[in-house]
Amino acid sequence: MTSKKFYYKTFLATAGLLASVPAFSAIELPSYVTDNMVVQQNSELTVRGHAVPGSTVKAAPGWSTKVYTAKASADGVFTLRLATPAAGGPYSVTFSDPDGDVTLENILSGEVWLCSGQSNMEMPVIGWGKVMGYETETATAQYPDIRLLQVHKNTSYKPMPDVEVNGGGWQICSPASVADFSAVAYFYARELARELKVPVGVIDTTWGGTPAEAWTCADSLKNVPGFGTEIAEMEKAGFDAEKIQKGFAGRQQQWNRQFDGVVASFDKSVMHDGDGWGTVQMPSKWEAGPLPGFDGVVWLQKTIDVPAELAGKPLSLIFSSIDDDDVTYFNGEEVGRTVGVAVNRDYKVPGKLVKAGENVITVRVLDTGGDGGIAGGISEARIGDKVFPLAGTWSYKSDITLDKVAPRPADPRGPKYPTVLYNAMLEPLHYMPVNGVIWYQGCENVGRAEQYNPLFKAMIRNWRQLWNNDMPFYFVQLAGFQAPVPVQPDSKWAELREAQAAACELPNTCMATAIDLGNPTDIHPKNKQEVARRLSLLALGRDYGKHVVYRAPEVSDVAVRDNEIIITFDAPVTSTSSAMTGFIIAGKDGRYTTATPRRIDERTIAISAPSVRKPVYVRYNWADYPCGNLYGTTGLPVAPFRK
């Protein structure tokens, strides 16, 4: 019999008899122990399931003559530990107790990798992702020795006993199964399978837009600055959902009150332009227009002309959505405020505020992350049957940014709250041995680089402790994103990349740089094949003994000589054009300017700028979307740095 779970049922002829007989238990296996799975070769697979209470449970794997046994506890829990063979298969495994059995088929032994992170790891081959060449990639995805397991998105304040999985469990790699599967995970598996000639299994446990703290356990977060409040609140609430959410509501109200002090420095009853004001089309996302990456308060203004016969009559201001929160004024008087993007606004303006001729609508929008602005749907004013469309050109003026105020408390109802993804989508998997982890995340923590440095290291240590294994942990450094700026020493994206790189201080940890694979207008670059290839080089060279170059040249020495900074690399570097780009330089005043590199030899570059007579500082590829063009001789890009 082939099944993920076998439920032994007794069918009786009458409802009366059915009611008089208690239901039988039967073997239930973890959701990730299914047909088609790959087990990590030469390891120990722990299977923790349920069976008839007090019964003896047996497991007979097809790769061995040994029969493993365990006694189920009074509540029916059993734990079996099966030694796994060298790469090969397919095999079957039969689990049995006195009330029935479960046989899993088509199991392979090989290499298993856990693949996690936010949207750039989640990004599917087709689905919403549509990676580079997705039509061909999908059509040719016939690899019976590659197996895919996708964990269902879920949250929990406490560690779960099992994960939920999509598609009923492990899937054989095919055009259908890769369509909505992590592209990086699939391409990574394909690279390993081609080089190692063994079965490869990859586990996709991802959630877009999530921060590292959501993937880290409570005990590990206690030692990371900035998470004390949330962890203390969860512990105080006994990890009870209702109590945790009630505590959040109070903190949210307190946080919102700080913006009550953000008052307009202008007359809200008058339409403004020039002198710090610009124009923007609404409905829209201002990040795609004049305010890329802006999180904070923006003032928006627009006028409507009211005919004399409608003056003095009540008016409705309708917005289908504003991202995220707003306070709205009509001719300088507040007429409504709303918290939350997915909330329809219908503000009632009393007739005494409605005058003949020009009327000024002013909206103070607070964007707390991601997109901001008056979102899609209806945007209009109404007086009776008369409609005044509000779509079109608005004046705007940016105000306070979020980095100038206290961090917003994380909403425990979503996937960004500390620990909730660790508990639901990671912790239950630790019974299954994996060879290592690949990780692609960081966008959601941009702006918090100082915190991300200890946080990311704490998360890696946490996962290794969970698996009780100093397993390889390979991660992707963020690609370039947002509008190119030639000199950007205050780049938050660059700071986060530096915090990511600091994790390489941990043993058995290494970074794949994707700085050159980005897109200034798309946070989800399409070339996931190259991302996966660079990750695979790390594993092939460090774990599997392949003779591959898996890292780019790194700085080995920095010296100041006259009016130049001399940078020496530990391997030859080359540039994609005759002119080397991406360097900025500053004196002791810290005022950076574009630098002119001069090659001394294949490993040494001299950096200078006419306006900097005594250089002190140098940075390379230090911007949101930098333009550096240095590579190693094997084509791997030199990672951003500052010295």
Side-chain angles (χ1 to χ4, degrees):
M1 171 183 180
T2 302
S3 172
K4 176 172 73 73
K5 293 183 179 180
F6 172 81
Y7 296 92
Y8 183 88
K9 296 180 179 179
T10 300
F11 293 94
L12 300 172
T14 67
L17 282 174
L18 182 62
S20 67
V21 179
F24 287 100
S25 299
I27 291 178
E28 296 182 21
L29 300 176
S31 64
Y32 52 87
V33 178
T34 72
D35 294 340
N36 305 319
M37 71 184 297
V38 178
V39 297
Q40 177 61 39
Q41 65 173 322
N42 300 318
S43 66
E44 185 177 76
L45 172 66
T46 299
V47 179
R48 187 174 173 85
H50 288 80
V52 175
S55 67
T56 297
V57 181
K58 298 179 180 179
W63 59 76
S64 172
T65 58
K66 181 176 180 179
V67 175
Y68 297 82
T69 62
K71 188 175 180 63
S73 64
D75 56 359
V77 176
F78 69 87
T79 302
L80 286 163
R81 294 178 175 84
L82 283 61
T84 64
Y91 303 103
S92 63
V93 181
T94 298
F95 297 87
S96 60
D97 76 352
D99 281 341
D101 60 75
V102 177
T103 298
L104 304 183
E105 303 284 2
N106 198 24
I107 295 176
L108 302 177
S109 184
E111 293 299 304
V112 182
W113 284 79
L114 183 72
C115 312
S116 188
Q118 60 179 110
S119 57
N120 271 296
M121 182 64 84
E122 175 190 330
M123 186 174 174
V125 177
I126 306 181
W128 61 264
K130 294 182 174 58
V131 302
M132 184 177 69
Y134 66 90
E135 299 98 334
T136 301
E137 292 289 9
T138 306
T140 57
Q142 295 282 6
Y143 296 97
D145 282 355
I146 293 177
R147 306 295 171 84
L148 316 173
L149 177 69
Q150 189 173 65
V151 175
H152 184 70
K153 292 179 174 62
N154 200 3
T155 63
S156 176
Y157 301 122
K158 301 177 182 178
M160 298 283 286
D162 197 2
V163 294
E164 296 181 34
V165 297
N166 295 333
W170 287 87
Q171 303 293 311
I172 300 172
C173 179
S174 68
S177 62
V178 302
D180 288 307
F181 196 80
S182 162
V184 170
Y186 161 58
F187 293 138
Y188 179 79
R190 187 175 68 182
E191 293 285 343
L192 294 189
R194 286 173 175 173
E195 293 296 324
L196 302 177
K197 305 295 190 289
V198 300
V200 177
V202 280
I203 303 171
D204 171 358
T205 180
T206 57
W207 197 326
T210 56
E213 60 266 25
W215 296 95
T216 309
C217 78
D219 284 344
S220 294
L221 289 176
K222 288 179 179 179
N223 297 319
V224 179
F227 299 109
T229 299
E230 286 87 353
I231 301 305
E233 285 285 341
M234 283 192 287
E235 290 180 336
K236 181 180 178 181
F239 300 94
D240 178 78
E242 184 176 349
K243 293 179 180 178
I244 291 171
Q245 292 169 12
K246 183 177 180 181
F248 161 75
R251 295 196 306 278
Q252 178 66 31
Q253 289 177 1
Q254 184 178 3
W255 187 82
N256 282 341
R257 280 196 289 269
Q258 70 185 324
F259 293 97
D260 292 340
V262 181
V263 295
S265 59
F266 58 92
D267 186 347
K268 297 188 294 296
S269 66
V270 177
M271 186 68 183
H272 295 269
D273 57 23
D275 191 25
W277 289 82
T279 59
V280 62
Q281 297 298 308
M282 289 291 165
S284 74
K285 303 171 182 178
W286 65 50
E287 279 83 354
L291 294 169
F294 184 91
D295 296 325
V297 172
V298 173
W299 296 91
L300 298 170
Q301 282 196 315
K302 190 173 181 62
T303 61
I304 59 171
D305 289 320
V306 175
E309 64 269 20
L310 297 179
K313 294 186 177 182
L315 177 148
S316 292
L317 276 178
I318 300 171
F319 300 99
S320 294
S321 176
I322 295 179
D323 196 348
D324 295 314
D325 311 335
D326 75 287
V327 182
T328 297
Y329 305 82
F330 193 87
N331 287 331
E333 298 292 327
E334 182 180 333
V335 294
R337 58 175 64 203
T338 302
V339 175
V341 59
V343 182
N344 183 68
R345 277 84 164 162
D346 188 350
Y347 298 140
K348 305 304 181 184
V349 179
K352 65 180 181 179
L353 296 180
V354 182
K355 62 184 181 180
E358 183 178 89
N359 291 256
V360 180
I361 299 166
T362 304
V363 184
R364 192 195 78 182
V365 180
L366 169 62
D367 173 38
T368 59
D371 297 326
I374 297 174
I378 298 173
S379 297
E380 62 187 24
R382 294 179 185 171
I383 302 177
D385 294 333
K386 176 66 174 177
V387 175
F388 302 84
L390 298 180
T393 302
W394 288 62
S395 288
Y396 81 92
K397 182 182 180 68
S398 60
D399 203 315
I400 189 170
T401 56
L402 285 194
D403 59 358
K404 299 297 191 296
V405 300
R408 185 181 190 182
D411 190 339
R413 296 166 297 182
K416 299 183 180 183
Y417 201 66
T419 78
V420 295
L421 302 186
Y422 170 88
N423 292 328
M425 297 177 64
L426 185 83
E427 206 274 350
L429 291 170
H430 79 273
Y431 293 108
M432 182 170 186
V434 298
N435 190 71
V437 176
I438 57 172
W439 170 264
Y440 194 169
Q441 187 274 338
C443 302
E444 191 64 27
N445 290 88
V446 168
R448 294 189 282 142
E450 185 176 357
Q451 181 189 62
Y452 194 81
N453 186 321
L455 168 61
F456 190 29
K457 293 174 184 175
M459 192 200 82
I460 295 171
R461 294 188 187 102
N462 173 197
W463 289 23
R464 287 173 170 170
Q465 183 180 29
L466 179 65
W467 263 268
N468 192 29
N469 181 4
D470 187 24
M471 58 188 177
F473 194 104
Y474 303 138
F475 62 93
V476 182
Q477 189 182 46
L478 293 181
F481 176 58
Q482 304 201 96
V485 178
V487 180
Q488 196 180 11
D490 59 348
S491 167
K492 301 300 182 185
W493 282 74
E495 291 175 357
L496 198 283
R497 294 186 191 108
E498 182 181 59
Q500 290 179 306
C504 293
E505 298 167 4
L506 298 179
N508 215 13
T509 304
C510 205
M511 179 178 76
T513 299
I515 193 69
D516 58 330
L517 301 177
N519 185 320
T521 61
D522 189 352
I523 202 170
H524 304 116
K526 303 296 188 182
N527 189 358
K528 292 297 188 279
Q529 293 90 332
E530 179 61 13
V531 172
R533 188 188 74 87
R534 292 177 185 179
L535 285 167
S536 74
L537 290 176
L538 299 178
L540 292 170
R542 295 168 60 92
D543 303 301
Y544 298 115
K546 298 294 183 178
H547 295 294
V548 297
V549 176
Y550 57 81
R551 69 177 185 87
E554 297 177 357
V555 175
S556 60
D557 185 66
V558 178
V560 177
R561 190 180 306 159
D562 298 326
N563 64 341
E564 295 181 316
I565 293 181
I566 311 300
I567 299 176
T568 302
F569 293 90
D570 61 1
V573 293
T574 184
S575 58
T576 56
S577 66
S578 58
M580 292 177 285
T581 58
F583 288 95
I584 58 176
I585 195 171
K588 64 180 180 180
D589 60 2
R591 299 176 63 180
Y592 281 88
T593 185
T594 303
T596 303
R598 177 176 64 86
R599 182 179 293 279
I600 296 175
D601 59 39
E602 65 178 6
R603 299 189 181 198
T604 311
I605 298 171
I607 311 296
S608 64
S611 61
V612 181
R613 303 307 303 168
K614 294 183 178 180
V616 176
Y617 307 109
V618 63
R619 300 185 183 189
Y620 172 72
N621 260 1
W622 195 271
D624 297 348
Y625 187 84
C627 61
N629 64 352
L630 292 186
Y631 289 79
T633 56
T634 59
L636 294 176
V638 172
F641 62 82
R642 60 174 166 178
K643 300 295 182 180

